[in-house]
Amino acid sequence: MAGFMVAVFVFGSLSDRIGRRPVILVCLAINVVFGVAIPFSTSYLMFTFLRFFSALGASGGFTTVMEVLGPAHRAILGVAVNLGWSAAYVLLGGLGWLLKDWTYIQLSISVPCVATVLYWWFLPESPRLLLTLGKYDEAEMLLRKAMTENGKDISDLKTVLENLMVQIKKENATKTRGTALDLLKTPNMRKKTLNIYLCWFVTALYII
């Protein structure tokens, strides 16, 4: 849980600065390396240290990629991500019964994550973030490729992107940099934030 907490504060902000793709790839690598190392712990202190960084990588890897999709598909993706999590928990009991030893259980859930190295070739950067960072050419190239693969008309792509850039520049000119404290400033946002805190607190107790 400490690893999850640190990841939320560190990787969310970092992904806004350097991009979603590098942060996700680094987090996946951290999760794999430390996850595979956990069964070889020689002390409780070493086990706790490795668990912290494994959780750090696992949580950081969840940096939102929803913005890559259109609004019509985001709800489906949000549910689909948690279906994998739920299915794993269902299977974990049977896996524990079959393997018995915790070291083998840990390896069985960590080693398959090595396959995430394939993300290096398939995981795109967020076009929305590229536009926000002013990387117009990269965003155009990425969107052109995606639209071509999906059979979409790209004839007016350049005009659409130019209009988006103008809109983003206007928003950035009037936007003030927020902090985590802004979540508690107004009554409505404070109520929602505290409700989410409570939900995650209960969820964390269930996971533990």
Side-chain angles (χ1 to χ4, degrees), residues 31-41 47 50-51 54 92 95-96 99-115:
N31 182 39
V32 170
V33 171
F34 285 92
V36 172
I38 288 172
F40 304 99
S41 302
F47 172 83
L50 295 175
R51 282 283 292 174
S54 176
L92 189 59
L95 199 61
L99 298 177
K100 304 295 191 295
D101 194 302
W102 76 269
T103 57
Y104 295 130
I105 297 172
Q106 179 64 41
L107 282 172
S108 70
I109 61 178
S110 297
V111 171
C113 293
V114 174

Side-chain angles (χ1 to χ4, degrees), residues 118-200:
L118 296 174
Y119 282 14
W120 178 270
W121 290 277
F122 297 107
L123 184 68
E125 185 51 274
S126 163
R128 186 184 185 88
L129 181 67
L130 290 174
L131 288 172
T132 303
L133 297 177
K135 298 181 179 180
Y136 177 87
D137 292 335
E138 290 182 45
E140 181 183 2
M141 183 175 64
L142 187 60
L143 287 172
R144 189 176 296 276
K145 178 182 177 183
M147 291 176 71
T148 301
E149 290 178 353
N150 287 284
K152 303 294 184 181
D153 180 24
I154 61 173
S155 58
D156 62 342
L157 175 60
K158 203 169 188 66
T159 303
V160 171
L161 287 178
E162 287 174 354
N163 292 335
L164 281 173
M165 283 298 294
V166 171
Q167 182 182 341
I168 289 171
K169 286 178 180 178
K170 286 181 180 179
E171 290 176 355
N172 289 340
T174 58
K175 185 171 62 176
T176 57
R177 190 170 184 81
T179 68
L181 294 177
D182 292 331
L183 296 172
L184 302 172
K185 280 186 177 179
T186 64
N188 184 42
M189 184 59 74
R190 183 163 55 247
K191 180 176 66 175
K192 292 175 180 176
T193 301
L194 293 176
N195 184 34
I196 291 173
Y197 285 171
L198 177 63
C199 289
W200 270 106

Side-chain angles (χ1 to χ4, degrees), residues 15-36:
S15 67
D16 287 338
R17 295 176 181 274
I18 67 173
R20 310 289 190 245
R21 186 176 186 273
V23 168
I24 291 175
L25 291 175
V26 167
C27 287
L28 289 173
I30 292 173
N31 182 39
V32 170
V33 171
F34 285 92
V36 172

